[in-house]
Amino acid sequence: MSHTYEYPRAALAVDCVVFGLDETDLKVLLIQRKLQPFQHAWALPGGFVRMDETIDNAARRELEEEAGVSDVYLEQLYTFGAMHRDPRERVVTVAYYALAKLSDHRIRAATDAMGVGWFALDALPKLAFDHSEIVSRAHERLRGKVRYAPVGFELLPPRFSLTQLQRLYEIILGTELDKRNFRKKILSLDLIVETDEVEQGVRHRAARLYRFDRRKYDRLAKQGFELSI
Amino acid sequence: MSHTYEYPRAALAVDCVVFGLDETDLKVLLIQRKLQPFQHAWALPGGFVRMDETIDNAARRELEEEAGVSDVYLEQLYTFGAMHRDPRERVVTVAYYALAKLSDHRIRAATDAMGVGWFALDALPKLAFDHSEIVSRAHERLRGKVRYAPVGFELLPPRFSLTQLQRLYEIILGTELDKRNFRKKILSLDLIVETDEVEQGVRHRAARLYRFDRRKYDRLAKQGFELSI
DNA sequence: TCAAGTTAGTGTACAAATTACACTCTAAAC
DNA sequence: GTTTAGAGTGTAATTTGTACACTAACTTGA
């Protein structure tokens, strides 16, 4: 039986929700659109997928090109294909979320230079297309995932204090945690280990810095260990 | 600034992993391909997305057309876009997973008639394309989700015994559970309620049948309640 | 140098949840 | 009426989670 392949082709795009964490807030990186539609509106970094690259690659490329962001944790989130989400024509977008270390000077420098903005998640401007919906879903996913996967560390510098880690969970989960109970639990996992470094340049007692032992985690995970925070 | 829209267009498809549960196994519905490529090989039901339907609709339509399956729980899983996953050309597929009640006579009848097959998850034949990878990811998602969301009930008839429910969790999670502890925990949630019906046609003491109180669950979920099994 | 300010760091008692475990009850089939 | 198959039930021990408040270390500025 002979067969020719005739079927509709959608324009396929990617969009990325890049999260960053500062002292008090979870932030999202946005870019201001230069072109119609939604000219001048804030939007997620993203663009069309090329025929010679995977979708993951398209996401990384657009992050680099549009926002100067590279070397981040990146995970596919959901594919949005509502009929009129783009007023021009049918565009299906594969959404990703990324976790960036705001403390990373390269990220700071790159995003400062390119006219992009970091916005607190609870004070976002109106966004282009269905990007608000994408951000909501990304936040939801992050909230869920942070409790059973070691993704939070992607938002922190490689060495961090236990207070920083606690703040991270408080900010993402939106709850207050008890300091002593948190430390007890975290340290009992034996995956967050002391270093001989301490916080620098603070005007109070310097906190001891810890690091996440990813090797150990990976080893345990292979043996069926399940994290739970 | 004028602008014309010139970008590559990928062929966009959907594929569905339909799960069903019998007495001893989690099963997956497969169809045998009639055409090249992978002619005669078993594959997931699926097909191309049309320009005038959403991706979700495409998934439901293909399920109905190719496998006679309708009225199932359906959730988007992941989008697969490796370069050569389809040997003909670039095809990106949005994968879904569905939970069907094998006890539903309509499902039974439809799938019997259409030359489709139910295969135990741990004894699948070789599959076309990257469909094995899609099935793995669907199974992983189901295992994760069944513990904090009430999706298991989608695999059971509306009235079920506690033993059936326990088997469901044992089969999906791949662990044995203690009968008394399981019942204590499940009933303490107060979401699985007794009916006045009992199992029929068994050659031993008939088990009492229960139902899941979805209204109550939805109400609690809105107030921030989180299920955990 | 000392007083004030700021965050780091630490333990215990109580409550709640989870685990381990074995027998009697009921109905059908023969 | 005996056998068979699974239904149904409680308690004690252990583990885990929760509530809670003070001292230690360092910096800054008077």
Side-chain angles (χ1 to χ4, degrees):
Chain A
M1 189 191 301
S2 113
H3 194 68
T4 54
Y5 303 104
E6 303 256 19
Y7 30 77
R9 281 142 197 286
L12 188 67
V14 290
D15 285 298
C16 300
V17 182
V18 185
F19 289 110
L21 188 76
D22 69 10
E23 288 66 35
T24 56
D25 283 298
L26 197 54
K27 306 219 155 181
V28 176
L29 184 151
L30 300 174
I31 60 166
Q32 200 158 20
R33 287 182 58 82
K34 297 193 182 68
L35 304 174
Q36 286 292 353
F38 296 102
Q39 197 173 13
H40 308 313
W42 292 96
L44 296 173
F48 291 100
V49 178
R50 297 181 183 158
M51 288 305 273
D52 60 351
E53 66 184 355
T54 63
I55 318 176
D56 287 13
N57 280 348
R60 287 197 188 276
R61 178 180 52 71
E62 290 288 351
L63 271 185
E64 172 76 48
E65 287 177 11
E66 289 210 309
V69 168
S70 56
D71 275 320
V72 289
Y73 174 88
L74 185 72
E75 184 185 314
Q76 191 187 302
L77 176 64
Y78 196 81
T79 296
F80 294 81
M83 293 305 299
H84 302 291
R85 53 175 299 285
D86 188 316
R88 293 170 292 188
E89 65 169 298
R90 184 82 194 274
V91 179
V92 170
T93 195
V94 183
Y96 284 76
Y97 76 99
L99 304 177
K101 301 182 206 297
L102 271 188
S103 58
D104 183 333
H105 299 295
R106 291 170 305 170
I107 296 273
R108 276 268 180 225
T111 57
D112 280 357
M114 302 194 67
V116 303
W118 289 97
F119 291 81
L121 194 50
D122 49 17
L124 291 184
K126 280 228 163 60
L127 300 188
F129 306 104
D130 54 356
H131 288 186
S132 295
E133 189 188 344
I134 297 178
V135 172
S136 297
R137 200 178 275 255
H139 186 203
E140 191 185 332
R141 177 85 136 252
L142 179 60
R143 264 199 313 265
K145 188 133 190 173
V146 81
R147 293 179 54 176
Y148 64 87
V151 293
F153 306 106
E154 306 294 341
L155 291 164
L156 292 180
R159 305 298 154 102
F160 50 83
S161 68
L162 294 181
T163 299
Q164 276 181 292
L165 188 61
Q166 184 179 338
R167 287 259 164 76
L168 181 151
Y169 283 104
E170 289 178 335
I171 290 170
I172 295 178
L173 300 175
T175 58
E176 300 237 315
L177 300 172
D178 179 86
K179 187 177 180 179
R180 281 181 288 193
N181 293 339
F182 178 77
R183 285 168 184 237
K184 211 188 315 174
K185 178 152 186 178
I186 282 290
L187 295 178
S188 75
L189 297 172
D190 220 33
L191 288 169
I192 283 132
V193 299
E194 251 183 67
T195 68
D196 52 6
E197 297 164 63
V198 294
E199 234 172 356
Q200 301 290 326
V202 286
R203 62 164 193 276
H204 54 78
R205 178 175 176 180
R208 164 141 267 146
L209 297 182
Y210 292 74
R211 66 186 178 79
F212 172 59
D213 189 344
R214 184 168 299 279
R215 280 166 172 272
K216 183 165 181 187
Y217 172 78
D218 288 343
R219 194 156 12 94
L220 291 173
K222 247 178 224 161
Q223 291 161 29
F225 165 78
E226 284 182 39
L227 187 61
S228 160
I229 291 171
Chain B
M1 189 190 301
S2 111
H3 192 71
T4 54
Y5 303 104
E6 301 257 19
Y7 29 75
R9 280 142 198 289
L12 189 67
V14 290
D15 285 298
C16 301
V17 182
V18 185
F19 289 110
L21 187 76
D22 69 10
E23 287 68 34
T24 57
D25 284 297
L26 197 54
K27 307 219 158 182
V28 176
L29 183 152
L30 299 174
I31 60 163
Q32 199 157 21
R33 287 182 59 81
K34 297 195 182 69
L35 304 174
Q36 285 294 350
F38 297 102
Q39 196 174 14
H40 308 313
W42 291 95
L44 296 173
F48 290 100
V49 178
R50 296 180 184 161
M51 290 304 274
D52 61 350
E53 67 184 354
T54 63
I55 318 177
D56 286 13
N57 279 350
R60 288 198 187 275
R61 178 180 52 72
E62 289 288 351
L63 272 184
E64 173 76 48
E65 287 177 12
E66 290 210 310
V69 169
S70 55
D71 275 320
V72 289
Y73 174 87
L74 185 71
E75 183 185 314
Q76 191 188 303
L77 175 64
Y78 197 80
T79 296
F80 294 80
M83 293 304 301
H84 303 290
R85 53 175 300 284
D86 189 313
R88 292 169 293 189
E89 65 169 299
R90 185 80 194 275
V91 178
V92 170
T93 194
V94 183
Y96 284 77
Y97 76 98
L99 304 177
K101 301 182 205 300
L102 272 187
S103 59
D104 182 333
H105 298 296
R106 290 169 305 167
I107 295 274
R108 276 266 180 227
T111 57
D112 280 357
M114 301 193 67
V116 303
W118 290 96
F119 292 80
L121 194 50
D122 48 17
L124 292 184
K126 280 226 164 58
L127 300 189
F129 306 104
D130 54 356
H131 288 187
S132 296
E133 189 189 344
I134 298 177
V135 172
S136 297
R137 200 179 275 257
H139 186 203
E140 191 185 333
R141 175 86 135 252
L142 179 59
R143 266 200 313 265
K145 188 134 189 170
V146 80
R147 295 180 51 177
Y148 65 88
V151 292
F153 306 106
E154 306 293 342
L155 291 164
L156 293 179
R159 306 298 155 102
F160 49 83
S161 69
L162 294 181
T163 299
Q164 275 181 292
L165 188 61
Q166 182 179 340
R167 287 260 162 77
L168 181 152
Y169 283 104
E170 289 177 333
I171 290 169
I172 295 178
L173 299 176
T175 58
E176 299 237 311
L177 300 172
D178 178 88
K179 188 177 182 178
R180 280 180 289 189
N181 293 340
F182 178 79
R183 284 167 185 237
K184 209 188 314 175
K185 177 153 188 178
I186 281 289
L187 295 178
S188 74
L189 297 172
D190 221 31
L191 288 169
I192 283 132
V193 298
E194 251 184 67
T195 68
D196 53 6
E197 297 165 62
V198 294
E199 233 172 358
Q200 301 289 328
V202 285
R203 63 164 192 279
H204 53 77
R205 180 177 175 181
R208 165 141 266 148
L209 297 182
Y210 292 75
R211 65 184 179 82
F212 172 59
D213 189 344
R214 185 167 299 278
R215 281 165 171 272
K216 183 165 182 188
Y217 171 78
D218 289 343
R219 195 157 11 94
L220 292 173
K222 247 178 223 160
Q223 292 161 26
F225 166 77
E226 284 181 38
L227 187 61
S228 160
I229 289 168

